[in-house]
Amino acid sequence: MSDPTPPSPLVWTDDGQPRSRLYADVYFSTDDGLAESRAVFLAGCGLPGAWAGRARFVAAELGFGTGLNILALLELWRATRDPGAHLHIFSLEAHPLEVGEARRALSAWPELADLARLLTDRWPGQARGLHRVDLPEVSATLDLAVMDAHEALQGWDGRADAWFLDGFSPALNPGMWDEALMMLVAQRSAPGARAATFTVAGAVRRGLQAAGFAVEKRPGHGRKRERLEASLPGARLATSSPRVAIVGAGIAGASAARALRALGCQPVLIEAETPGAGASGNPAALVTPRLDAGLGPLAALFAQAYDRALRLYEDTPHAILSRGVLQLVGDERDLGRFAKIAAADIFEPGALVLREPAEVSQTLGEPAPAALDLTGALSIAPAAILADWCGEIRLAMVAGVTCQNGVWRLVAPDGATICEAEAVILATGHQPLWPEPGIRPVRGQASWIEAPGDVQAAAWGGYILPTRNGLLFGATHDRDDAATDVRPGDHDRNRATLAAALPQLARRLADLPVDGRASVRATTADHLPLAGRAPGAADGLFLLGGLGSRGFCLAPLLAEHVAALILGAPSPLPKGVSELVDPARFLLRAARRGRNSVSRVPR
């Protein structure tokens, strides 16, 4: 099998300087790259003065490269930010470096060693898409878009206060400086935003001016005689810190609580029973993506969510039960579909590998078909994740939500007020407190057995994975059934599903006593999740649900999207993906159908 790792975009010169293989240009000044970053970009954007008194500041960059500009920014932010303030960074890179190359390049500045270690220990991946990096030690979040610059800015929903325009030379890489891109920069800027760059090329000046920036030449750094500073008119609107309440302490609610805390908000999490009382309460869960060979926005959603979930769960190592999941091939169509997905650039190199039947059979210990090996997929203990992410929980039954004068009131069954908040996230599974869009219940019963020995996690029409002291397999899938009684007949169905794929294992487990649990998954009409503003509601009501059987894959990323909407922060979801999960999509589709019907009426 060929090496899935793409060739490096970087070469090293004889004097140890990193240089672009693709554009024959340096990644940073050979005089002193850090000094150039400070002089051209930090000072050029009026930092740190621009963030004084700000609870939230957004910096954006064209050309991530080695990450040197970001480290210079983080160093200054750490030293000068207001207490409690949070920095959002958006950067893009069409040709990302491997982490070892970045470490080598950044080692030239030992004064940045601790920050460089923070960044490179969480180095973004190389898959095409948006990658989030948490830097809580310095109260910062980095979103790196690995894609073409125009595509990245078209998809980003943020508004930057400062721009570092640091692509390779306009003469060598004109696509990073064209007028269309400068227009996108302006459109993704907050009022009063400032931009800085090392170049004074005429095309760059004219592009910025055409986009609405006032542009000035300034003395350059090192060998460069001049540089540019640019600014937009206006003043940034003040941001508020709303009170936020979350209803439901399954994986959706827990993810929302974690995401909000990461952005400096302290939400109130309300749960009627115990964490995981609903569909998140099994002793083990698989973290795998939905595999979509269309490789469009739907596939991008699951690829990004999968990568984000894996990175976050790794921060709770005691929750991880096993690594790697074999998705068994069912027929020839699966084989072609899996091969296409494994070759796609929306997953990390080597993350999905097509295995031959002999190799799969050896791993599983019995005859088996070919399989797509999800090498990084996890089996996790949900209780450990919920305990780590939920924080303090207020036990109460929420019977309804009402809004008056911009304040939401959460009401108990007896009419008493549980709490009040400016924003509410409903993460209540199949029991929504808001009528639109409709949630459809799907009952699922899982079975588990106490059994010694290691078993490779695998999935087909069913699945099997390890628990702390045995194996879990199943699960049934019964639409429009919201009962949670455990049924012996469903254990038999689960055994039959296991026997159809792994008969030898099923026979070994046949005489062992079985336990289990039934819960209700929440699904939608189009089988896609809900993450965003509740349609038809006053401002401040948000939905996070409809996750179906992929809750542990989808919830962490979608919760970050909802948290960003609430706090006015940049979302980690590109626009094309966020539209897929917008709860208002059903109303928008109905409206479009109505308009189309009218347009077809004969005149």
Side-chain angles (χ1 to χ4, degrees):
M1 183 174 293
S2 61
D3 186 354
T5 304
S8 172
L10 174 152
V11 293
W12 296 93
T13 62
D14 291 341
D15 59 353
Q17 293 291 321
R19 190 174 183 86
S20 171
R21 182 195 303 274
L22 302 171
Y23 299 103
D25 196 8
V26 294
Y27 275 88
F28 43 71
S29 170
T30 55
D31 293 333
D32 185 339
L34 178 57
E36 181 183 51
S37 293
R38 289 167 174 162
V40 174
F41 299 114
L42 303 186
C45 286
L47 305 177
W51 60 50
R54 296 280 298 276
R56 198 172 305 284
F57 192 84
V58 181
E61 176 187 46
L62 302 186
F64 181 71
T66 65
L68 178 60
N69 290 337
I70 302 308
L71 292 188
L73 174 66
L74 291 173
E75 180 190 43
L76 185 64
W77 172 258
R78 178 172 61 180
T80 62
R81 71 182 177 95
D82 287 359
H86 194 87
L87 174 66
H88 296 264
I89 306 167
F90 175 79
S91 187
L92 57 88
E93 179 58 61
H95 311 289
L97 301 184
E98 190 271 332
V99 64
E101 296 170 327
R103 287 194 175 112
R104 179 178 173 185
L106 296 172
S107 66
W109 295 281
E111 63 267 43
L112 297 178
D114 64 326
L115 290 171
R117 190 176 306 110
L118 286 180
L119 179 60
T120 56
D121 282 353
R122 301 157 196 174
W123 193 248
Q126 296 183 304
R128 178 171 57 85
L130 203 60
H131 301 256
R132 173 155 286 193
V133 176
D134 299 304
L135 298 163
E137 298 85 351
V138 288
S139 190
T141 302
L142 165 66
D143 286 323
L144 178 67
V146 177
M147 62 185 75
D148 168 78
H150 298 76
E151 179 187 0
L153 292 191
Q154 287 164 356
W156 187 50
D157 78 340
R159 294 293 181 269
D161 301 295
W163 281 96
F164 302 167
L165 308 181
D166 195 27
F168 291 116
S169 164
L172 299 171
N173 187 19
M176 278 285 280
W177 304 92
D178 64 33
E179 189 169 310
L181 191 63
M182 295 304 104
M183 192 65 70
L184 285 168
V185 166
Q187 292 168 358
R188 303 296 182 265
S189 295
R194 296 180 63 170
T197 183
F198 61 86
T199 182
V200 293
V204 176
R205 294 200 313 273
R206 290 189 293 273
L208 287 168
Q209 289 167 339
F213 284 92
V215 180
E216 293 183 81
K217 291 183 180 180
R218 296 292 189 187
H221 174 79
R223 302 175 189 176
K224 294 186 175 70
R225 189 167 58 86
E226 294 176 309
R227 58 183 174 86
L228 290 184
E229 293 182 8
S231 60
L232 285 177
R236 184 70 185 260
L237 298 176
T239 58
S240 61
S241 298
R243 294 172 296 173
V244 183
I246 305 165
V247 186
I251 188 58
S255 295
R258 188 212 64 80
L260 287 161
R261 286 197 303 270
L263 296 180
C265 177
Q266 297 300 322
V268 175
L269 179 58
I270 301 167
E271 167 59 46
E273 300 178 54
T274 58
S280 302
N282 286 343
L286 286 178
V287 185
T288 57
R290 176 173 163 180
L291 299 172
D292 182 76
L295 303 182
L298 176 61
L301 164 64
F302 278 92
Q304 184 184 352
Y306 173 62
D307 182 74
R308 184 63 174 147
L310 297 185
R311 285 178 176 257
L312 288 171
Y313 293 144
E314 289 286 358
D315 291 337
T316 307
H318 62 278
I320 297 173
L321 302 174
S322 70
R323 288 179 169 83
V325 175
L326 292 173
Q327 182 72 45
L328 303 182
V329 166
D331 53 31
E332 284 298 317
R333 181 174 172 272
D334 272 353
L335 197 60
R337 190 166 63 93
F338 288 175
K340 182 179 179 181
I341 295 169
D345 61 359
I346 59 174
F347 292 96
E348 293 300 317
L352 280 68
V353 179
L354 200 58
R355 304 291 186 192
E356 297 292 336
E359 189 176 3
V360 178
S361 299
Q362 183 176 11
T363 300
L364 294 176
E366 61 179 287
L372 187 63
D373 187 354
L374 285 72
T375 59
L378 297 175
S379 304
I380 60 170
I385 297 296
L386 299 183
D388 198 35
W389 288 7
C390 281
E392 184 177 349
I393 296 174
R394 184 178 300 182
L395 290 176
M397 169 66 76
V398 179
V401 291
T402 62
C403 184
Q404 186 173 6
N405 298 325
V407 176
W408 286 90
R409 177 171 169 258
L410 280 66
V411 183
D414 62 0
T417 297
I418 298 170
C419 77
E420 294 182 339
E422 286 74 38
V424 176
I425 302 174
L426 300 181
T428 52
H430 76 289
Q431 297 176 323
L433 295 170
W434 194 253
E436 295 294 341
I439 289 287
R440 186 177 185 181
V442 176
R443 181 184 182 278
Q445 181 170 314
S447 306
W448 55 83
I449 288 173
E450 291 189 17
D454 295 330
V455 171
Q456 169 69 49
W460 55 99
Y463 57 79
I464 187 161
L465 68 156
T467 64
R468 295 245 185 243
N469 54 5
L471 299 171
L472 182 148
F473 55 96
T476 59
H477 188 92
D478 298 314
R479 294 184 177 90
D480 300 320
D481 186 345
T484 57
D485 57 307
V486 177
R487 303 168 185 173
D490 283 358
H491 286 319
D492 294 338
R493 290 165 62 191
N494 286 337
R495 287 185 184 274
T497 299
L498 178 63
L502 301 171
Q504 293 183 17
L505 176 61
R507 284 195 293 271
R508 291 201 301 273
L509 303 179
D511 296 329
L512 297 177
V514 65
D515 200 352
R517 180 176 181 272
S519 59
V520 182
R521 309 181 192 100
T523 63
T524 63
D526 61 3
H527 305 289
L528 288 174
L530 306 171
R533 294 177 176 85
D539 287 346
L541 187 66
F542 296 81
L543 306 181
L544 180 58
L547 304 179
S549 60
R550 305 285 180 183
F552 285 92
C553 173
L554 289 168
L557 177 66
L558 296 185
E560 292 180 324
H561 171 62
V562 173
L565 294 177
I566 292 172
L567 300 178
S571 169
L573 290 186
K575 286 184 179 179
V577 173
S578 66
E579 290 168 356
L580 284 178
V581 300
D582 185 351
R585 63 187 183 268
F586 301 101
L587 296 179
L588 294 173
R589 290 170 190 166
R592 284 196 294 268
R593 285 196 297 270
R595 287 196 298 270
N596 292 339
S597 297
V598 170
S599 68
R600 288 194 295 268
V601 174
R603 298 189 178 185

